[in-house]
Amino acid sequence: MDEKPNLRWGVERKLEFIEFRLFWEGYVNRGDIIDTFNVSVNQASTDLNRYLGLAPDNMCYDKSARTYVRTSAFKPLFLKPDASLYLSHVRSLSDGLLDKHEAWIGNIPDFGSITFPARGVLPTVLRTIVIAIRRHEAVEICYQSMSSPEPQWRWIIPHALGFDGFRWHARAFCEQSGQFKDFVLSRIAETKQSRPADAQATKDTAWHDIIELEIGPHPDLSLNQKRVIELDYGMQNGRVVISVRKALLYYALKRLGLDTDPSARKPQDQQIVLLNKDAIAA
């Protein structure tokens, strides 16, 4: 079981599904495979037998439950268990963004989250921006900025998409200002014509420059509180490094609660501090 066999993608996908169910739910049966992959009973039995042949110590048949269950010797052969991926699937299922079969989760745990108003990005606008990025074109957009009371038509040359945790942006060169800027996609009311672009994305240094943020627990927390924060953020030796594009630095600091003086809040509320303030000074 040390080396994964070389199999066709479709076959390996089903074997990975078997391991997913075994790892996260402790059992798997023919019905699970039939429902997820729309295969026959015979094919589902073949897939289970194939898995047993490759990983005989990973599951055994429980006659009373009439299902295969995970053994104590279970060791994934096809699956790389990822807690973040599982939780993202739970959230996507809850939000209706993912179909149950696509997520592979059989028993979805009760789940609640803070919901935010949906950002009204027009599909036609997004399509135009994505095509312009791919073709390296300039596109004329009607944009409502917060610095102007009325929307204005302007030419932009988009080269990337950005997400600040709440909103999607088009990272683009603005011909009106002569600068690279972020344009909130939901604020683009409509688009018109497009043409070949002349500005080069390589000149957007703020997009390409990467800043390393070193995050650590607030120094005034207790030792046990610091340990919990280290676990929360996956820290090693009291710190974790987060790589951020300079163009997205403002949003990153805001999301982490590092955009204000840490002393303005109680240590228990602030929880983390920036260890390398000089990194954002430039």
Side-chain angles (χ1 to χ4, degrees):
M1 284 186 59
D2 293 334
E3 199 170 318
K4 186 171 72 171
N6 186 17
L7 301 168
R8 296 196 312 274
W9 182 85
V11 173
E12 184 171 328
R13 188 72 170 156
K14 286 184 284 186
L15 299 180
E16 184 182 351
F17 168 80
I18 291 172
E19 284 196 340
F20 182 94
R21 285 293 177 90
L22 288 172
F23 180 85
W24 290 108
E25 305 195 17
Y27 65 91
V28 65
N29 55 46
R30 289 185 305 182
D32 297 330
I33 301 173
I34 293 169
D35 292 342
T36 302
F37 295 96
N38 193 28
V39 297
S40 66
V41 173
N42 288 339
Q43 182 60 59
S45 296
T46 298
D47 293 325
L48 287 168
N49 288 329
R50 178 183 283 115
Y51 183 78
L52 272 172
L54 294 169
D57 298 329
N58 276 2
M59 69 179 186
C60 62
Y61 189 71
D62 186 329
K63 292 182 180 180
S64 60
R66 301 180 67 179
T67 189
Y68 286 93
V69 296
R70 183 184 66 235
T71 67
S72 58
F74 178 84
K75 182 179 179 182
L77 180 60
F78 299 93
L79 177 74
K80 292 183 178 179
D82 187 329
S84 296
L85 181 61
Y86 182 92
L87 292 173
S88 68
H89 280 193
V90 171
R91 181 174 180 180
S92 295
L93 282 166
S94 176
D95 293 343
L97 301 177
L98 196 64
D99 183 79
K100 184 177 179 180
H101 295 312
E102 297 174 313
W104 289 5
I105 300 175
N107 296 290
I108 304 170
D110 193 16
F111 171 78
S113 67
I114 301 172
T115 57
F116 297 94
R119 301 294 176 176
V121 180
L122 297 174
T124 51
V125 166
L126 177 59
R127 179 185 63 189
T128 299
I129 296 298
V130 170
I131 290 175
I133 292 173
R134 186 175 72 245
R135 295 179 179 175
H136 187 55
E137 292 180 337
V139 60
E140 190 176 14
I141 66 171
C142 181
Y143 190 73
Q144 178 63 70
S145 69
M146 291 296 100
S147 60
S148 175
E150 300 295 332
Q152 296 179 340
W153 284 95
R154 68 178 75 194
W155 283 90
I156 66 170
I157 305 174
H159 69 81
L161 297 177
F163 184 63
D164 64 12
F166 294 104
R167 304 175 302 183
W168 281 96
H169 305 252
R171 183 68 180 178
F173 180 79
C174 176
E175 294 189 354
Q176 179 175 304
S177 65
Q179 297 177 330
F180 285 97
K181 293 183 175 182
D182 297 326
F183 292 88
V184 180
L185 290 178
S186 58
R187 295 178 185 173
I188 302 177
E190 58 180 308
T191 62
K192 281 186 179 178
Q193 55 192 327
S194 60
R195 55 173 168 74
D198 47 15
Q200 297 296 321
T202 53
K203 294 184 178 179
D204 188 359
T205 55
W207 179 260
H208 296 289
D209 288 352
I210 303 297
I211 294 178
E212 305 286 343
L213 301 179
E214 291 186 23
I215 310 299
H218 196 291
D220 293 336
L221 292 174
S222 70
L223 182 60
N224 287 331
Q225 289 172 331
K226 289 179 181 178
R227 287 172 178 167
V228 169
I229 296 302
E230 289 177 6
L231 289 173
D232 281 347
Y233 289 86
M235 297 179 183
Q236 297 290 333
N237 299 319
R239 67 180 59 212
V240 66
V241 176
I242 302 175
S243 298
V244 180
R245 294 183 186 274
K246 191 173 183 179
L248 301 177
L249 179 61
Y250 168 79
Y251 309 115
L253 294 176
K254 194 173 184 66
R255 285 296 306 275
L256 291 168
L258 297 171
D259 56 332
T260 57
D261 187 347
S263 62
R265 298 199 296 173
K266 295 180 180 179
Q268 293 78 8
D269 294 329
Q270 180 63 33
Q271 300 183 1
I272 60 173
V273 294
L274 185 62
L275 302 176
N276 60 335
K277 295 181 180 179
D278 56 317
I280 64 172

